[in-house]
Amino acid sequence: MSHNEFTAALGEVTSHLADRYNSLGSCAPVPPRSDIDSALAALPSTLPADGLGVTDTIQHLIDDITPGLLQGHAGSRFFGLVTGGVTPASQLADILGSSSHPYTYSRIWLNPGKDASVAVALEQRALDMVLDLLDIPRETFGGGSVTTGATASNIMGLACARDALLLKSPHLPPNYNITENGFPPPVSAGAPAINVITVKAHGSILKAAAVTGIGRANVHDLPSAQPGPEDPWGLGLDIEKLEEQLRRAEEMGQGVIVVVTLGEVNTGGFTPHIRTISDLCKRHHAWLHIDAAFGGFAALLPRYTYLSGEMALADSLTLDAHKWLNVPYDAAMFYTRHSSDLQRTFGPSPRLGTPAYLQVHTAPASPTEVSPNVLALREWHASLPSPLNCGIENSRRFRALPLYAGLMEQGKAGYAGWMSNPSHGGQWYTVVNADPTDSVPLNIILFRAKVNTPFPPSDATATPRLLHAINSQRLIYVTATSWEGVGALRIAVSNWRTGLEGARDFEAVVEALSGAMRA
Ligand SMILES: *Cc1c(COP(=O)(O)O)cnc(C)c1O
């Protein structure tokens, strides 16, 4: 392949991206069925015997495949899940980042044990700046990692918690290390070594319990007996029961992980009384994991600045980058109090040490003159742990780069500016997650059709029919869920573009919701 061919194909890619960026405002939020059918038909049934080469492959992707992908999902009227969009600088940084080689191994080539690249330092700075954004003192969390998503961060949280808790188990030899010796037996019949206590946790907590060997059956929902005005969405933990369970578990020598959510996926609501929960966890040596995947960023809104202090109480903290921060998929953050928590679980075996092929080979430093500033930066950089020992993957892409770019592009004011708090009611619809003052907690409107419509909540088919009636107009895109056993739909506003063009997006929502009633 000639350089010219590469440059020409790159031009095709960049002009495709520019066209897409410029047409996002008018693009349907999801492609029509026929575009997906055409893309399906274009997939070759077998590997081509001779490769198409760069020009034809890129042309195939642009002409045949991309129309069948989610084109408008990064636009202002995609309200599904909490997917977020992409800010321009973070999108471009993602392209730059994926165009360079995998970087996690950069630490091993070095000259005097330092790095062959600035990547590790940049990742640490990005992690620090996310804490700055949320007004959480950097020294709160000594360990951190940029992960693939809040699911990975939750898996890391439960894994770090499991290992730290078992170190202190009275039933096991001192400093029992599960990562060396495997999961221990139950502390007594029917009493597992680790329990998780939570309320309305995200589904990924169950996945984390499965992956870490804790077991899904050992995740217990402990809702408040009575949701009150302070907790209109029933996200509160029953504090009295929690205290009793923590006390009993401690007496039995069981470890407990308490998981609370900031930004529950259906309502956007928060678990209240996190300070009390944290005090109880400290008193009874339980681990507090806060899953603040998208809701943690509400700390930027004047109404929710108190969340910063709550997040700082976590033993481990999950935050997503690819949702409300509008960093391209996939990116999230994980924080824990001590870097040693990460090393214990994700670092090399203390018994076997680092595999020989991954060891850092130091050479004597050549005596070059550098300023004290440069020396201090080098020392800081060299003191950072290798990403190999701080996360699930060994090799990984440079996903800190788009995060860093988003933070540099937006600054605190940029993010705070567009994370406002929209809400919408209507003659045909009931807003399910409105509190007594008629506002929703965050950026999610959970709603269902009223009784006297073609989609009464008592009808089990109402939710899928309404979902189809709304989305098939391709004006907006929403997703379905159920809340307290009854079907509901969600509009989650998490894209920096939404509302930029006056009332246009709001009118599209009104049009789609009223169009569904006429259909
Ligand atoms: C989205 C979400 C998750 C899972 O995040 P992914 O980034 O999809 O892995 C976990 N917890 C909460 C509260 C979430 O909103």
Side-chain angles (χ1 to χ4, degrees), residues 82 148-154 201-205 261-265 291-295 318 320-323 329 331-332:
V82 204
T148 55
T151 300
S153 298
N154 285 339
H202 187 268
S204 57
I205 294 296
T261 310
L262 297 181
E264 190 277 328
V265 278
D291 179 2
F294 72 93
T318 288
D320 241 325
H322 54 215
K323 289 180 178 168
Y329 282 74

Side-chain angles (χ1 to χ4, degrees), residues 105-333:
Y105 292 109
S106 66
R107 183 145 278 195
I108 52 182
W109 294 318
L110 301 192
N111 197 351
K114 310 284 187 315
D115 284 69
S117 133
V118 75
V120 174
L122 184 140
E123 170 161 333
Q124 184 60 47
R125 224 4 95 69
L127 285 163
D128 288 343
M129 291 198 299
V130 171
L131 296 178
D132 296 347
L133 178 70
L134 296 173
D135 273 329
I136 298 173
R138 289 182 179 186
E139 59 278 13
T140 310
F141 296 110
S145 183
V146 178
T147 69
T148 55
T151 300
S153 298
N154 285 339
I155 290 171
M156 290 176 71
L158 262 58
C160 289
R162 173 198 68 185
D163 301 352
L165 289 169
L166 288 181
L167 275 183
K168 298 181 296 196
S169 169
H171 302 279
L172 298 169
N175 290 327
Y176 181 86
N177 189 334
I178 174 178
T179 56
E180 286 302 300
N181 304 307
F183 217 80
V187 300
S188 67
I194 303 280
N195 267 319
V196 177
I197 298 178
T198 185
V199 58
K200 291 195 172 80
H202 187 268
S204 57
I205 294 296
L206 290 177
K207 189 184 267 195
V211 171
T212 53
I214 292 170
R216 296 188 194 100
N218 299 316
V219 178
H220 305 285
D221 227 69
L222 200 66
S224 292
Q226 291 174 325
E230 258 185 88
D231 179 24
W233 303 284
L235 296 168
L237 268 171
D238 186 324
I239 298 291
E240 268 174 37
K241 269 212 192 114
L242 175 66
E243 178 155 31
E244 185 194 311
Q245 296 209 356
L246 290 178
R247 193 165 29 77
R248 197 143 32 94
E250 196 173 31
E251 277 165 19
M252 290 171 71
Q254 265 183 319
V256 179
I257 307 167
V258 177
V259 177
V260 294
T261 310
L262 297 181
E264 190 277 328
V265 278
N266 287 300
T267 57
F270 308 98
T271 291
H273 307 306
I274 288 184
R275 273 181 199 282
T276 311
I277 294 168
S278 159
D279 287 345
L280 287 177
C281 287
K282 286 203 181 86
R283 194 172 318 144
H284 297 287
H285 306 99
W287 181 285
L288 178 62
H289 176 73
I290 300 187
D291 179 2
F294 72 93
F297 298 100
L300 286 164
L301 308 174
R303 199 174 147 197
Y304 291 120
T305 48
Y306 70 89
L307 294 177
S308 300
E310 296 195 339
M311 286 186 277
L313 296 171
D315 291 302
S316 53
L317 175 69
T318 288
L319 289 165
D320 241 325
H322 54 215
K323 289 180 178 168
W324 224 1
L325 271 195
N326 282 229
V327 170
Y329 282 74
D330 48 13
M333 286 72 68

Side-chain angles (χ1 to χ4, degrees), residues 427-432 446-467 481-489 517:
Q427 99 196 70
W428 295 299
Y429 296 97
T430 315
V431 176
V432 178
L446 186 66
F447 67 100
R448 46 175 86 102
K450 289 188 173 164
V451 180
N452 56 350
T453 66
F455 310 97
S458 56
D459 175 354
T461 69
T463 303
R465 282 191 297 112
L466 181 57
L467 180 73
T481 184
S482 81
W483 183 246
E484 288 165 351
V486 184
L489 299 182
M517 286 297 163

